[in-house]
Amino acid sequence: MKNVMLIIKEQFDNIGIIRRVSKYEERATYQSHYLGLMWQFLNPLIQIGIYYLIFGIGVNGGRNVNGVPFIVWMLIGIIVWFFVNSSLLGGSNSIYHKVGMVSKMKFPVSILPSINMMSNIVSYWWMMVILMGVMFFFGVYPTIFWFQYIYYFICMIMFLFAMGILNSTITILIRDYHIMLQSILRLLFYISGPIWDVETRSFPDWLVNLFQINPIYYFIDGFRDTFLSRQWFWEKPTLSLIFWGIISIILILGSHIHMKFRARFVDYI
C-alpha cells in the first residue's frame, strides 16, 4: 500500500503539470490539420454513425432496447468505450514514448498515463454534450438517478488510472504487450456492452455472469442505470465489491511493479 499511496500523491502534487502538458499534447496532435481540435469531436462522431448504421439499423433493425431508442442506449455505452479505449492504448505507451524526456526533467513518470487520460477527456466531454442533446430529443430527461453519474465517473477514472500504471510499466518491460493489448481491447469491445445488451442475447447464464465481472461492463452498465433511471449502484452490492476488489488488485500490483523498475526504465528502452 505504500507504493500505491506514493503514486497517488505524485498525481496530486503534479496536477498542474498534468493539465498543462495534456493541453499541449492536444494542440500538438492536431496542429498540422486544417480542422485542428475539431477532429476530437468529428472522429468519434463519424465512428458513432458507422456503428449505428451497422448495429442499430443493420443488426438491431432500429428496434428499441428495453423501451429506449437504440441510438440513446448505444451512445451512452459507445462514448464511454471511445474514452476508455483511447486512454488504455495511449496510457500503455505513455512512458515508453516519453521516458527519455522525463529523464531530463523533474517530474515522476507515474503521471504520464494521467496526462494521456487528461488529453482524451476533452473529446469525451464534447461527446457527452451530444448525448445530452440526443436524450432530450427523445424525451429522456434528468432524474434524481443522474446524481450517481459522479460515482460511475470515479469508477471509470480509477480503472483507467490503475490500468495506466500497470500497462505502461509492462509495456516498458515487454514491448509485445502493447500489441497484445490492442487485440484484447477488440474482444472487450464486443463483451463489455457498448453496442449490444449481453443480458438479452442467447448466452448461458454463467457466461452473462462472467461478462458482468468485467470492470468496463460494470461502469458502462452503471452509466445506463444512471441516465435511463434504472437503479442505484448500491442495489448491486456484489458486483460493486467485485469491481473495487479488481481495481485494488490492479492498482497494488501495478504500483509495486512500477516502483520496482522505474529507476531502470531508460535501460530497458
Side-chain angles (χ1 to χ4, degrees):
M1 287 300 295
K2 181 181 178 182
N3 291 334
V4 173
M5 297 308 297
L6 177 59
I7 286 180
I8 291 177
K9 182 177 182 298
E10 289 176 345
Q11 311 307 306
F12 285 104
D13 290 345
N14 295 275
I15 189 67
I17 294 176
I18 293 174
R19 292 176 60 184
R20 289 193 297 273
V21 176
S22 65
K23 288 181 179 179
Y24 169 79
E25 289 200 344
E26 289 171 36
R27 297 190 183 98
T29 301
Y30 299 100
Q31 67 178 354
S32 61
H33 299 74
Y34 288 115
L35 297 179
L37 293 176
M38 280 296 293
W39 280 111
Q40 289 186 318
F41 164 77
L42 291 174
N43 189 44
L45 190 62
I46 293 170
Q47 293 184 64
I48 285 172
I50 294 171
Y51 286 126
Y52 179 68
L53 288 174
I54 295 174
F55 295 99
I57 297 177
V59 177
N60 200 54
R63 294 186 296 273
N64 291 351
V65 179
N66 298 322
V68 179
F70 183 84
I71 184 63
V72 174
W73 187 91
M74 185 194 76
L75 274 176
I76 297 172
I78 204 75
I79 289 171
V80 174
W81 173 261
F82 286 152
F83 176 56
V84 168
N85 184 68
S86 59
S87 296
L88 287 177
L89 288 177
S92 70
N93 254 342
S94 58
I95 296 179
Y96 181 84
H97 285 157
K98 297 287 194 307
V99 71
M101 177 189 72
V102 174
S103 64
K104 302 173 185 178
M105 303 175 69
K106 293 184 178 180
F107 62 83
V109 294
S110 67
I111 71 171
L112 292 175
S114 297
I115 289 173
N116 175 265
M117 181 167 54
M118 184 72 75
S119 66
N120 289 322
I121 207 165
V122 175
S123 176
Y124 171 76
W125 290 128
W126 272 110
M127 298 311 298
M128 287 300 295
V129 170
I130 293 176
L131 172 62
M132 295 297 112
V134 172
M135 286 195 297
F136 293 162
F137 178 80
F138 284 99
V140 180
Y141 299 113
T143 68
I144 193 172
F145 283 93
W146 285 32
F147 283 107
Q148 74 177 350
Y149 174 82
I150 298 172
Y151 167 76
Y152 284 112
F153 183 78
I154 292 172
C155 289
M156 179 173 65
I157 295 300
M158 287 303 300
F159 169 76
L160 293 175
F161 173 68
M163 290 297 295
I165 296 297
L166 178 64
N167 289 340
S168 60
T169 303
I170 296 178
T171 298
I172 293 289
L173 305 177
I174 307 172
R175 190 62 191 132
D176 293 344
Y177 179 78
H178 180 73
I179 299 175
M180 183 179 70
L181 181 63
Q182 292 176 316
S183 300
I184 293 173
L185 287 174
R186 292 189 189 101
L187 172 63
L188 287 175
F189 175 72
Y190 294 100
I191 64 175
S192 298
I195 55 171
W196 57 32
D197 187 358
V198 297
E199 295 183 28
T200 62
R201 299 287 166 174
S202 55
F203 295 126
D205 289 342
W206 66 268
L207 189 57
V208 173
N209 293 333
L210 185 63
F211 289 160
Q212 291 177 332
I213 295 175
N214 172 7
I216 301 176
Y217 180 92
Y218 174 77
F219 52 76
I220 285 180
D221 195 55
F223 283 124
R224 289 193 175 115
D225 288 340
T226 298
F227 291 123
L228 303 179
S229 304
R230 299 192 305 193
Q231 64 177 337
W232 296 101
F233 68 87
W234 58 75
E235 294 182 63
K236 42 185 182 183
T238 302
L239 290 176
S240 297
L241 288 173
I242 291 174
F243 172 82
W244 286 109
I246 292 173
I247 297 303
S248 299
I249 292 171
I250 294 173
L251 187 55
I252 292 171
L253 178 62
S255 299
H256 174 73
I257 298 175
H258 179 88
M259 296 303 297
K260 181 177 181 180
F261 291 101
R262 79 172 178 180
R264 291 178 286 165
F265 280 166
V266 176
D267 296 334
Y268 280 102
I269 294 178

